[in-house]
Amino acid sequence: MGSGNTRRLAGGHLTITEVTEGRPEQEIARIELSSEQVHAMRARSAIDRLGPEHPDALTAMRELAQVLGAIPGRGEEAVELYQYVARTQWTVLGDRHEETLRTSAELAGVFRATGQLSLSETAWRDTFRAQAETLGRDHPDALRSATGLAAVLEDLGRAPEAEPLIRDVLERRVRLLGRDHPDVLSSTNAHAASLIKCGRHNEAEHALRALVPRLEDRYGRDHEATIAARSNHGAVLVRLDRHAEAEQHIRAVVRSLEATVGPHHESTFTARNNLAAVLHAMQRYEDAVPILRAILSGRVALHGDDHPITVATRDNLANVLIDVGRHAEAAELLDRCVRDYHRIHGPGHPRLRAADEKLAWLREGPAPR
């Protein structure tokens, strides 16, 4: 079986050859295989040869789970496989073994990708604590887990808890790697984004204004790292009420993303959402509505109807529909958001309360026009 390319989780092919006495071996057929098929075959072979508890078989199963987690709609299968591997590694290798912790980190990431945020938080906390204790807080794996934990805390609307974690990662990486290392530049952008979520907009804008030129000099204007920082800069300009400047920045980011990663990539949806936000802030509500409708449709296709980021987009669209007077449609969307927020966050969460209050106001307020 040959590899289709050099990527670790790539697809491949099966070659069927004919061997005739006295003649060179001759290829007669080649069957292309997907990445899932290749890794499923490797996992099955390892299990058959070594048994399901052998470390090499567990590694093969974990790699199959990685592939499944990257396929839209297969996240739950990936979770089940990761959970089996993690439980078995815990028993066979121990809860603090490097391979066990690697699986735990990947499981935490898949929990987040499938919208299971509370489980993701727990998995990230356990993994980060174990890595910090066994490897040290400065170890790259521990720093990645701290970043993963911070990301899910932000998803849960707990940005003030996430910001110290992200700042600590940045400070450690600066000390270990120097200011111009790619991981430091990425962490600088992540910390600026965290400051935005915490409402510390002037600090974030100052950091991003310095960061973007550094990234442009190192990578170019349309590199993914540069685009991410440019997008955050546009977002913070919205919050500082520098709307015309923000719109110019964000439209340029949208064009860059559409040209590089395509119109249906999550990064493009995020940039378009920022554009809708600045249009909303400028009271150009009718311009914002079709953008948010398209984002919602795209995120449903990409993540599913019940994913937290899809729910948040539905909430955003409802808010703009309220401003244009389409109260019946807004109430329908908010009713769905209330149920989803209750499922995702539980009772008493700020997002649930806000959506519930808006829905009650719509039901008691003026008739839709």
Side-chain angles (χ1 to χ4, degrees):
M1 181 168 61
S3 175
N5 56 46
T6 58
R7 292 182 64 230
R8 179 172 169 236
L9 299 181
H13 59 263
L14 284 175
T15 301
I16 301 174
T17 61
E18 181 179 51
V19 180
T20 305
E21 187 176 352
R23 296 183 181 179
E25 183 177 350
Q26 182 179 359
E27 179 180 322
I28 60 174
R30 177 176 293 201
I31 303 170
E32 295 300 323
L33 299 173
S34 68
S35 181
E36 178 189 353
Q37 290 171 319
V38 169
H39 286 85
M41 291 169 64
R42 286 178 178 166
R44 175 50 57 193
S45 174
I47 291 168
D48 290 344
R49 287 183 296 105
L50 305 169
E53 295 186 352
H54 191 281
D56 289 349
L58 293 170
T59 296
M61 284 186 270
R62 190 189 76 234
E63 291 180 352
L64 174 58
Q66 284 181 268
V67 173
L68 292 173
I71 300 173
R74 307 292 295 278
E76 290 301 328
E77 294 174 66
V79 165
E80 290 182 13
L81 188 52
Y82 269 126
Q83 287 176 320
Y84 170 81
V85 173
R87 287 193 301 268
T88 309
Q89 287 176 330
W90 185 293
T91 302
V92 174
L93 302 174
D95 62 321
R96 298 300 177 94
H97 191 278
E98 182 181 0
E99 289 295 308
T100 307
L101 294 174
R102 181 176 293 118
T103 300
S104 298
E106 292 179 11
L107 174 59
V110 175
F111 275 141
R112 182 186 178 217
T114 55
Q116 300 177 74
L117 301 183
S118 294
L119 291 174
S120 180
E121 180 190 356
T122 299
W124 276 126
R125 281 194 187 281
D126 291 344
T127 305
F128 173 51
R129 184 182 303 112
Q131 288 172 333
E133 291 174 359
T134 57
L135 304 173
R137 286 288 297 268
D138 287 343
H139 191 279
D141 288 352
L143 295 176
R144 280 190 290 269
S145 291
T147 301
L149 173 58
V152 78
L153 289 172
E154 290 180 340
D155 290 343
L156 287 164
R158 291 152 57 189
E161 292 180 55
E163 188 274 331
L165 276 170
I166 299 171
R167 184 178 67 248
D168 182 68
V169 169
L170 172 59
E171 291 171 351
R172 290 175 187 275
R173 283 178 169 162
V174 168
R175 175 170 52 79
L176 294 165
L177 303 171
R179 291 184 69 255
D180 294 324
H181 190 278
D183 288 350
V184 172
L185 296 173
S186 175
S187 292
T188 303
N189 184 49
H191 185 239
S194 181
L195 291 172
I196 296 172
K197 294 182 178 91
C198 291
R200 293 159 61 180
H201 300 142
N202 285 312
E203 292 177 68
E205 198 279 330
H206 177 78
L208 289 163
R209 188 166 12 98
L211 176 63
V212 169
R214 292 170 62 199
L215 291 168
E216 289 179 340
D217 288 343
R218 184 180 182 96
Y219 298 120
R221 185 169 176 78
D222 290 332
H223 187 276
E224 60 181 348
T226 311
I227 292 173
R230 289 169 56 206
S231 182
N232 284 333
H233 195 198
V236 77
L237 290 172
V238 177
R239 290 158 175 81
L240 289 170
D241 295 330
R242 292 159 60 178
H243 295 147
E245 188 179 356
E247 182 183 2
Q248 181 181 1
H249 273 71
I250 295 169
R251 286 192 184 278
V253 167
V254 170
R255 289 193 297 270
S256 292
L257 286 167
E258 288 176 340
T260 53
V261 299
H264 305 298
H265 192 278
E266 175 53 39
S267 297
T268 309
F269 293 145
T270 299
R272 288 181 185 152
N273 190 74
N274 289 339
L275 176 59
V278 72
L279 294 172
H280 184 258
M282 297 168 78
Q283 300 185 358
R284 291 162 57 184
Y285 306 130
E286 294 288 356
D287 292 336
V289 167
I291 295 173
L292 286 168
R293 286 195 195 280
I295 296 169
L296 179 59
S297 176
R299 280 178 165 160
V300 167
L302 185 62
H303 301 292
D305 209 41
D306 297 327
H307 192 280
I309 200 165
T310 308
V311 178
T313 307
R314 193 174 288 120
D315 196 347
N316 290 343
L317 175 58
N319 287 328
V320 179
L321 289 171
I322 290 171
D323 288 324
V324 297
R326 300 177 197 173
H327 295 163
E329 185 181 359
E332 183 179 345
L333 293 172
L334 285 170
D335 183 66
R336 173 70 184 273
C337 289
V338 166
R339 295 196 304 272
D340 285 336
Y341 283 145
H342 195 279
R343 171 180 54 82
I344 296 167
H345 301 298
H349 191 274
R351 290 179 182 172
L352 172 59
R353 288 200 304 269
D356 210 5
E357 289 170 4
K358 283 180 286 188
L359 180 59
W361 176 82
L362 285 172
R363 287 172 171 167
E364 297 170 1
R369 58 183 180 180

